[in-house]
Amino acid sequence: MEKILITASKTYEVLTGEGLLPRAGRLIRPVLSEKAQKLCIVTDDTVDRLYSGVLSDSLTDAGYETVKFVFPPGEASKSLDTLSELLEFLADHQLTRSDALIALGGGIVGDLTGFAAASYLRGIDFVQVPTTLLAAVDSSVGGKTGINLKAGKNLAGAFWQPSLVLFDIDTMKTLSYDLLLDGAAEAIKAGAIADRELFSYIDRVDRLDAPETIRYLSSRAIEIKRQVVEADERDTGVRQLLNFGHTVGHAIEKCSDFSISHGHAVAMGMVICARAALALGWSQEDCLSPLLASLEKFSFPLACPYSAEELCNAALKDKKRMGDTITLVIPAALGDCRLKKIPISQLNEFIKAGLS
Amino acid sequence: MEKILITASKTYEVLTGEGLLPRAGRLIRPVLSEKAQKLCIVTDDTVDRLYSGVLSDSLTDAGYETVKFVFPPGEASKSLDTLSELLEFLADHQLTRSDALIALGGGIVGDLTGFAAASYLRGIDFVQVPTTLLAAVDSSVGGKTGINLKAGKNLAGAFWQPSLVLFDIDTMKTLSYDLLLDGAAEAIKAGAIADRELFSYIDRVDRLDAPETIRYLSSRAIEIKRQVVEADERDTGVRQLLNFGHTVGHAIEKCSDFSISHGHAVAMGMVICARAALALGWSQEDCLSPLLASLEKFSFPLACPYSAEELCNAALKDKKRMGDTITLVIPAALGDCRLKKIPISQLNEFIKAGLS
């Protein structure tokens, strides 16, 4: 079992290893209040069938009473309606300020559960148990929680750190290769931001779905996220580096009506961004080639089916809340990204350079 | 204009004086981001008719664009539904992270607006402009925000401090005497907790609805709230002192189906609590007499129409989330309250002693 300590407004550990779910109760007990009695497992139908039983048994063995809130999988559940149902559920089951929530699932489960934990009784503890690689390397660490509004994704939420992150690598066995890729994209992103060594590692590796590859990639990605979150927990500066590939990636997701998943879209977004930065002379070296090599090694589909105009319109619709400029993340060198503010009028030209 | 500086997780001023609303724009500008452009005034229909115009004009004069969200007055609006509508409204009007909300009204407006500010884009600034004495002396200071769930009041929310509190005493002219009493109860409560001088002042004063009385009472109450909030912002210890009279008070509100208002119920609650503490030998001096004298001077109706059993049942229904004990606030001496934990099985006996 590997431990990474996150020192944000709350200090907590990310535990990564095999066989952690059956030991969850014992691992969770030290981080919760001694007065904690009741834990609410929050999950979706898919993950519920796979892992609720083992988690719940382990919590019961550790002396906790458990209740369970299950909702339909998918982005549509990350809503004020589900949040509302969950909060009423917690009140109906009379969870106290000392009790806690356990988010068992991917990013949607974690984001929603975290926001409920932040809001219920003005804030109670919660534990992240990510069961997708994407959630493990990205959303479960750093305390960004939230839900979607009708006007857009993640428009309401809270900064609320978990008390513990438990990443049981065994759960990756039930993940499709496509879902593994979604997580791998964020790990490669972390490498592009701050760890060029990661690209040499991928160069030497045989397959993404080997436990040792997953362990290495998640460990590096979490470590880089730790550094960035500790430097800027509330996302007013350097934390924006984590958005490498995301401005264009979000636009791709939207243009596809979310049929292209987040990680796949971010992979395309990173390539477009690296190619544009190279063409415009904003990179000091060729970051595109190693990025392409890593993504292609894992067989990412990288052909972007949208025009610069379509992507630009989608991106700007999302960014009107930001004013007249847009902050891009540019790879100055491999493993060294920088923030660059450009007028929104230049975005179309930038994306065009990235597509050609 | 009087200033009280609150040093919590955010440092901000409470400004009290006459003629502040017409100067709101100029007073607010220094505390918001330089990038703030759009302000959303949140208020209810009653206050909207009285004060939105002057506030909005003042903000416009100071160079801000304003939008306005108005909801029906009353506790039923302090709901997830209204919160949801408000959040969607903010997104539709594309408020940015640099923009801010202005809560114009009583405690319901302030609590709801504060929670929306805490949640929108994971937290933006907000300003409290209390237009009731109760909101001025109590809910607008200290950062407790929230909404009601079906299971009970204030069960969801956030600790989120305002950037400024603007209390224009002129707005008290449109307040009914009953609503003034609601605020006076909390001011007297503050005196009971930490300022016995306040009782001598009330003894000397002519009338509650004179501006100088309001200025004195609000100033003392806010100062005491400042001390308590600074010592325990997240309400895990000494801040519970602010609940003097509230356990029984809440029970009275509930038994009356909220036809007895918060302040009036707290006044009755304080009397019951002081009488019980005296009878049980938990007070070192007679706190009941000066408390009664102050409340009667302002003509508080103090006869409690409910039995100990009714109040006890109502109180415990609310407190199941707390476990097997209940923390009471007991006046050890006038101006010196203490927390006292008792088994919930003793609550009935305590209330009975307070009623007889």
PDB file of all heavy atoms in Angstrom, chain B residues 160-184:
ATOM      1  N   TRP B 160     -19.882  30.489   5.477  1.00  0.00           N
ATOM      2  CA  TRP B 160     -19.388  31.354   4.404  1.00  0.00           C
ATOM      3  C   TRP B 160     -19.554  32.803   4.847  1.00  0.00           C
ATOM      4  O   TRP B 160     -20.668  33.284   5.006  1.00  0.00           O
ATOM      5  CB  TRP B 160     -20.184  31.082   3.109  1.00  0.00           C
ATOM      6  CG  TRP B 160     -19.565  31.663   1.876  1.00  0.00           C
ATOM      7  CD1 TRP B 160     -20.028  32.704   1.124  1.00  0.00           C
ATOM      8  CD2 TRP B 160     -18.366  31.212   1.224  1.00  0.00           C
ATOM      9  NE1 TRP B 160     -19.187  32.938   0.065  1.00  0.00           N
ATOM     10  CE2 TRP B 160     -18.159  32.042   0.102  1.00  0.00           C
ATOM     11  CE3 TRP B 160     -17.426  30.210   1.499  1.00  0.00           C
ATOM     12  CZ2 TRP B 160     -17.062  31.885  -0.761  1.00  0.00           C
ATOM     13  CZ3 TRP B 160     -16.340  30.055   0.639  1.00  0.00           C
ATOM     14  CH2 TRP B 160     -16.171  30.880  -0.472  1.00  0.00           C
ATOM     15  N   GLN B 161     -18.455  33.461   5.102  1.00  0.00           N
ATOM     16  CA  GLN B 161     -18.527  34.815   5.657  1.00  0.00           C
ATOM     17  C   GLN B 161     -18.838  35.846   4.571  1.00  0.00           C
ATOM     18  O   GLN B 161     -18.359  35.728   3.450  1.00  0.00           O
ATOM     19  CB  GLN B 161     -17.181  35.174   6.314  1.00  0.00           C
ATOM     20  CG  GLN B 161     -16.736  34.222   7.431  1.00  0.00           C
ATOM     21  CD  GLN B 161     -17.612  34.310   8.678  1.00  0.00           C
ATOM     22  OE1 GLN B 161     -18.354  35.285   8.868  1.00  0.00           O
ATOM     23  NE2 GLN B 161     -17.555  33.277   9.512  1.00  0.00           N
ATOM     24  N   PRO B 162     -19.619  36.872   4.919  1.00  0.00           N
ATOM     25  CA  PRO B 162     -19.849  37.956   3.969  1.00  0.00           C
ATOM     26  C   PRO B 162     -18.582  38.807   3.817  1.00  0.00           C
ATOM     27  O   PRO B 162     -17.651  38.692   4.616  1.00  0.00           O
ATOM     28  CB  PRO B 162     -20.963  38.768   4.641  1.00  0.00           C
ATOM     29  CG  PRO B 162     -20.788  38.517   6.097  1.00  0.00           C
ATOM     30  CD  PRO B 162     -20.281  37.100   6.212  1.00  0.00           C
ATOM     31  N   SER B 163     -18.569  39.641   2.790  1.00  0.00           N
ATOM     32  CA  SER B 163     -17.446  40.568   2.599  1.00  0.00           C
ATOM     33  C   SER B 163     -17.688  41.878   3.335  1.00  0.00           C
ATOM     34  O   SER B 163     -16.763  42.663   3.525  1.00  0.00           O
ATOM     35  CB  SER B 163     -17.259  40.859   1.107  1.00  0.00           C
ATOM     36  OG  SER B 163     -16.977  39.664   0.420  1.00  0.00           O
ATOM     37  N   LEU B 164     -18.943  42.101   3.724  1.00  0.00           N
ATOM     38  CA  LEU B 164     -19.323  43.341   4.393  1.00  0.00           C
ATOM     39  C   LEU B 164     -20.733  43.155   4.930  1.00  0.00           C
ATOM     40  O   LEU B 164     -21.543  42.461   4.314  1.00  0.00           O
ATOM     41  CB  LEU B 164     -19.309  44.499   3.385  1.00  0.00           C
ATOM     42  CG  LEU B 164     -19.682  45.903   3.882  1.00  0.00           C
ATOM     43  CD1 LEU B 164     -18.580  46.457   4.794  1.00  0.00           C
ATOM     44  CD2 LEU B 164     -19.887  46.865   2.696  1.00  0.00           C
ATOM     45  N   VAL B 165     -21.019  43.787   6.080  1.00  0.00           N
ATOM     46  CA  VAL B 165     -22.393  43.855   6.573  1.00  0.00           C
ATOM     47  C   VAL B 165     -22.754  45.336   6.685  1.00  0.00           C
ATOM     48  O   VAL B 165     -22.035  46.100   7.336  1.00  0.00           O
ATOM     49  CB  VAL B 165     -22.554  43.174   7.954  1.00  0.00           C
ATOM     50  CG1 VAL B 165     -24.017  43.234   8.412  1.00  0.00           C
ATOM     51  CG2 VAL B 165     -22.064  41.729   7.905  1.00  0.00           C
ATOM     52  N   LEU B 166     -23.821  45.723   6.027  1.00  0.00           N
ATOM     53  CA  LEU B 166     -24.275  47.121   6.019  1.00  0.00           C
ATOM     54  C   LEU B 166     -25.612  47.204   6.733  1.00  0.00           C
ATOM     55  O   LEU B 166     -26.628  46.771   6.194  1.00  0.00           O
ATOM     56  CB  LEU B 166     -24.528  47.566   4.571  1.00  0.00           C
ATOM     57  CG  LEU B 166     -23.438  48.229   3.763  1.00  0.00           C
ATOM     58  CD1 LEU B 166     -24.049  48.797   2.491  1.00  0.00           C
ATOM     59  CD2 LEU B 166     -22.770  49.325   4.562  1.00  0.00           C
ATOM     60  N   PHE B 167     -25.620  47.757   7.928  1.00  0.00           N
ATOM     61  CA  PHE B 167     -26.880  47.862   8.670  1.00  0.00           C
ATOM     62  C   PHE B 167     -27.318  49.323   8.701  1.00  0.00           C
ATOM     63  O   PHE B 167     -26.777  50.132   9.471  1.00  0.00           O
ATOM     64  CB  PHE B 167     -26.692  47.304  10.084  1.00  0.00           C
ATOM     65  CG  PHE B 167     -27.917  47.446  10.952  1.00  0.00           C
ATOM     66  CD1 PHE B 167     -29.202  47.296  10.425  1.00  0.00           C
ATOM     67  CD2 PHE B 167     -27.801  47.726  12.307  1.00  0.00           C
ATOM     68  CE1 PHE B 167     -30.337  47.431  11.226  1.00  0.00           C
ATOM     69  CE2 PHE B 167     -28.931  47.856  13.120  1.00  0.00           C
ATOM     70  CZ  PHE B 167     -30.201  47.719  12.571  1.00  0.00           C
ATOM     71  N   ASP B 168     -28.276  49.653   7.859  1.00  0.00           N
ATOM     72  CA  ASP B 168     -28.817  51.009   7.805  1.00  0.00           C
ATOM     73  C   ASP B 168     -29.978  51.111   8.801  1.00  0.00           C
ATOM     74  O   ASP B 168     -31.050  50.557   8.566  1.00  0.00           O
ATOM     75  CB  ASP B 168     -29.291  51.323   6.384  1.00  0.00           C
ATOM     76  CG  ASP B 168     -29.737  52.771   6.242  1.00  0.00           C
ATOM     77  OD1 ASP B 168     -30.040  53.412   7.282  1.00  0.00           O
ATOM     78  OD2 ASP B 168     -29.783  53.259   5.107  1.00  0.00           O
ATOM     79  N   ILE B 169     -29.740  51.819   9.877  1.00  0.00           N
ATOM     80  CA  ILE B 169     -30.735  51.899  10.959  1.00  0.00           C
ATOM     81  C   ILE B 169     -32.040  52.534  10.474  1.00  0.00           C
ATOM     82  O   ILE B 169     -33.114  52.276  11.025  1.00  0.00           O
ATOM     83  CB  ILE B 169     -30.137  52.651  12.169  1.00  0.00           C
ATOM     84  CG1 ILE B 169     -29.059  51.771  12.811  1.00  0.00           C
ATOM     85  CG2 ILE B 169     -31.202  52.986  13.200  1.00  0.00           C
ATOM     86  CD1 ILE B 169     -28.463  52.352  14.063  1.00  0.00           C
ATOM     87  N   ASP B 170     -31.954  53.337   9.422  1.00  0.00           N
ATOM     88  CA  ASP B 170     -33.179  53.942   8.873  1.00  0.00           C
ATOM     89  C   ASP B 170     -34.206  52.885   8.454  1.00  0.00           C
ATOM     90  O   ASP B 170     -35.406  53.144   8.473  1.00  0.00           O
ATOM     91  CB  ASP B 170     -32.842  54.808   7.649  1.00  0.00           C
ATOM     92  CG  ASP B 170     -32.162  56.106   8.046  1.00  0.00           C
ATOM     93  OD1 ASP B 170     -32.297  56.516   9.223  1.00  0.00           O
ATOM     94  OD2 ASP B 170     -31.482  56.698   7.194  1.00  0.00           O
ATOM     95  N   THR B 171     -33.714  51.713   8.069  1.00  0.00           N
ATOM     96  CA  THR B 171     -34.665  50.686   7.618  1.00  0.00           C
ATOM     97  C   THR B 171     -35.520  50.153   8.772  1.00  0.00           C
ATOM     98  O   THR B 171     -36.535  49.491   8.535  1.00  0.00           O
ATOM     99  CB  THR B 171     -33.941  49.495   6.935  1.00  0.00           C
ATOM    100  OG1 THR B 171     -33.043  48.891   7.868  1.00  0.00           O
ATOM    101  CG2 THR B 171     -33.168  49.943   5.702  1.00  0.00           C
ATOM    102  N   MET B 172     -35.122  50.457  10.001  1.00  0.00           N
ATOM    103  CA  MET B 172     -35.929  50.004  11.142  1.00  0.00           C
ATOM    104  C   MET B 172     -37.269  50.739  11.221  1.00  0.00           C
ATOM    105  O   MET B 172     -38.198  50.278  11.868  1.00  0.00           O
ATOM    106  CB  MET B 172     -35.157  50.203  12.463  1.00  0.00           C
ATOM    107  CG  MET B 172     -33.875  49.388  12.574  1.00  0.00           C
ATOM    108  SD  MET B 172     -34.135  47.594  12.482  1.00  0.00           S
ATOM    109  CE  MET B 172     -33.759  47.270  10.762  1.00  0.00           C
ATOM    110  N   LYS B 173     -37.357  51.889  10.527  1.00  0.00           N
ATOM    111  CA  LYS B 173     -38.597  52.678  10.567  1.00  0.00           C
ATOM    112  C   LYS B 173     -39.767  51.932   9.938  1.00  0.00           C
ATOM    113  O   LYS B 173     -40.921  52.215  10.254  1.00  0.00           O
ATOM    114  CB  LYS B 173     -38.389  54.008   9.838  1.00  0.00           C
ATOM    115  CG  LYS B 173     -37.450  54.948  10.569  1.00  0.00           C
ATOM    116  CD  LYS B 173     -37.139  56.171   9.706  1.00  0.00           C
ATOM    117  CE  LYS B 173     -36.007  56.986  10.344  1.00  0.00           C
ATOM    118  NZ  LYS B 173     -35.382  57.909   9.372  1.00  0.00           N
ATOM    119  N   THR B 174     -39.480  51.022   9.033  1.00  0.00           N
ATOM    120  CA  THR B 174     -40.565  50.290   8.371  1.00  0.00           C
ATOM    121  C   THR B 174     -40.829  48.939   9.036  1.00  0.00           C
ATOM    122  O   THR B 174     -41.581  48.115   8.509  1.00  0.00           O
ATOM    123  CB  THR B 174     -40.231  50.053   6.879  1.00  0.00           C
ATOM    124  OG1 THR B 174     -38.923  49.492   6.784  1.00  0.00           O
ATOM    125  CG2 THR B 174     -40.274  51.356   6.102  1.00  0.00           C
ATOM    126  N   LEU B 175     -40.178  48.715  10.192  1.00  0.00           N
ATOM    127  CA  LEU B 175     -40.332  47.420  10.856  1.00  0.00           C
ATOM    128  C   LEU B 175     -41.440  47.504  11.903  1.00  0.00           C
ATOM    129  O   LEU B 175     -41.513  48.468  12.655  1.00  0.00           O
ATOM    130  CB  LEU B 175     -38.995  47.074  11.533  1.00  0.00           C
ATOM    131  CG  LEU B 175     -38.581  45.619  11.632  1.00  0.00           C
ATOM    132  CD1 LEU B 175     -38.450  44.997  10.254  1.00  0.00           C
ATOM    133  CD2 LEU B 175     -37.263  45.506  12.378  1.00  0.00           C
ATOM    134  N   SER B 176     -42.282  46.489  11.986  1.00  0.00           N
ATOM    135  CA  SER B 176     -43.321  46.479  13.019  1.00  0.00           C
ATOM    136  C   SER B 176     -42.674  46.320  14.397  1.00  0.00           C
ATOM    137  O   SER B 176     -41.537  45.844  14.509  1.00  0.00           O
ATOM    138  CB  SER B 176     -44.272  45.296  12.773  1.00  0.00           C
ATOM    139  OG  SER B 176     -43.589  44.086  13.039  1.00  0.00           O
ATOM    140  N   TYR B 177     -43.403  46.701  15.436  1.00  0.00           N
ATOM    141  CA  TYR B 177     -42.852  46.560  16.791  1.00  0.00           C
ATOM    142  C   TYR B 177     -42.565  45.094  17.101  1.00  0.00           C
ATOM    143  O   TYR B 177     -41.541  44.771  17.736  1.00  0.00           O
ATOM    144  CB  TYR B 177     -43.816  47.153  17.830  1.00  0.00           C
ATOM    145  CG  TYR B 177     -43.177  47.258  19.196  1.00  0.00           C
ATOM    146  CD1 TYR B 177     -42.282  48.286  19.486  1.00  0.00           C
ATOM    147  CD2 TYR B 177     -43.431  46.312  20.189  1.00  0.00           C
ATOM    148  CE1 TYR B 177     -41.665  48.378  20.721  1.00  0.00           C
ATOM    149  CE2 TYR B 177     -42.823  46.400  21.430  1.00  0.00           C
ATOM    150  CZ  TYR B 177     -41.944  47.430  21.697  1.00  0.00           C
ATOM    151  OH  TYR B 177     -41.324  47.512  22.917  1.00  0.00           O
ATOM    152  N   ASP B 178     -43.413  44.197  16.628  1.00  0.00           N
ATOM    153  CA  ASP B 178     -43.193  42.766  16.856  1.00  0.00           C
ATOM    154  C   ASP B 178     -41.876  42.294  16.242  1.00  0.00           C
ATOM    155  O   ASP B 178     -41.157  41.483  16.822  1.00  0.00           O
ATOM    156  CB  ASP B 178     -44.353  41.946  16.264  1.00  0.00           C
ATOM    157  CG  ASP B 178     -45.344  41.539  17.352  1.00  0.00           C
ATOM    158  OD1 ASP B 178     -45.064  41.798  18.547  1.00  0.00           O
ATOM    159  OD2 ASP B 178     -46.385  40.959  17.008  1.00  0.00           O
ATOM    160  N   LEU B 179     -41.579  42.785  15.053  1.00  0.00           N
ATOM    161  CA  LEU B 179     -40.324  42.399  14.417  1.00  0.00           C
ATOM    162  C   LEU B 179     -39.119  43.030  15.132  1.00  0.00           C
ATOM    163  O   LEU B 179     -38.053  42.409  15.228  1.00  0.00           O
ATOM    164  CB  LEU B 179     -40.331  42.762  12.930  1.00  0.00           C
ATOM    165  CG  LEU B 179     -41.185  41.833  12.051  1.00  0.00           C
ATOM    166  CD1 LEU B 179     -41.273  42.359  10.618  1.00  0.00           C
ATOM    167  CD2 LEU B 179     -40.615  40.418  12.039  1.00  0.00           C
ATOM    168  N   LEU B 180     -39.303  44.247  15.654  1.00  0.00           N
ATOM    169  CA  LEU B 180     -38.243  44.842  16.476  1.00  0.00           C
ATOM    170  C   LEU B 180     -37.971  43.973  17.693  1.00  0.00           C
ATOM    171  O   LEU B 180     -36.820  43.735  18.077  1.00  0.00           O
ATOM    172  CB  LEU B 180     -38.650  46.239  16.940  1.00  0.00           C
ATOM    173  CG  LEU B 180     -38.276  47.440  16.070  1.00  0.00           C
ATOM    174  CD1 LEU B 180     -38.690  48.723  16.768  1.00  0.00           C
ATOM    175  CD2 LEU B 180     -36.787  47.473  15.741  1.00  0.00           C
ATOM    176  N   LEU B 181     -39.068  43.480  18.309  1.00  0.00           N
ATOM    177  CA  LEU B 181     -38.918  42.619  19.492  1.00  0.00           C
ATOM    178  C   LEU B 181     -38.083  41.380  19.169  1.00  0.00           C
ATOM    179  O   LEU B 181     -37.257  40.941  19.976  1.00  0.00           O
ATOM    180  CB  LEU B 181     -40.294  42.187  20.015  1.00  0.00           C
ATOM    181  CG  LEU B 181     -41.076  43.179  20.878  1.00  0.00           C
ATOM    182  CD1 LEU B 181     -42.339  42.501  21.421  1.00  0.00           C
ATOM    183  CD2 LEU B 181     -40.246  43.716  22.041  1.00  0.00           C
ATOM    184  N   ASP B 182     -38.306  40.815  17.979  1.00  0.00           N
ATOM    185  CA  ASP B 182     -37.535  39.620  17.598  1.00  0.00           C
ATOM    186  C   ASP B 182     -36.038  39.893  17.677  1.00  0.00           C
ATOM    187  O   ASP B 182     -35.251  39.056  18.119  1.00  0.00           O
ATOM    188  CB  ASP B 182     -37.916  39.169  16.178  1.00  0.00           C
ATOM    189  CG  ASP B 182     -39.203  38.351  16.175  1.00  0.00           C
ATOM    190  OD1 ASP B 182     -39.528  37.762  17.220  1.00  0.00           O
ATOM    191  OD2 ASP B 182     -39.874  38.302  15.133  1.00  0.00           O
ATOM    192  N   GLY B 183     -35.649  41.070  17.219  1.00  0.00           N
ATOM    193  CA  GLY B 183     -34.236  41.436  17.303  1.00  0.00           C
ATOM    194  C   GLY B 183     -33.807  41.735  18.720  1.00  0.00           C
ATOM    195  O   GLY B 183     -32.712  41.349  19.158  1.00  0.00           O
ATOM    196  N   ALA B 184     -34.684  42.423  19.450  1.00  0.00           N
ATOM    197  CA  ALA B 184     -34.345  42.784  20.833  1.00  0.00           C
ATOM    198  C   ALA B 184     -34.092  41.538  21.677  1.00  0.00           C
ATOM    199  O   ALA B 184     -33.214  41.526  22.556  1.00  0.00           O
ATOM    200  CB  ALA B 184     -35.473  43.620  21.438  1.00  0.00           C
TER     201      ALA B 184
END
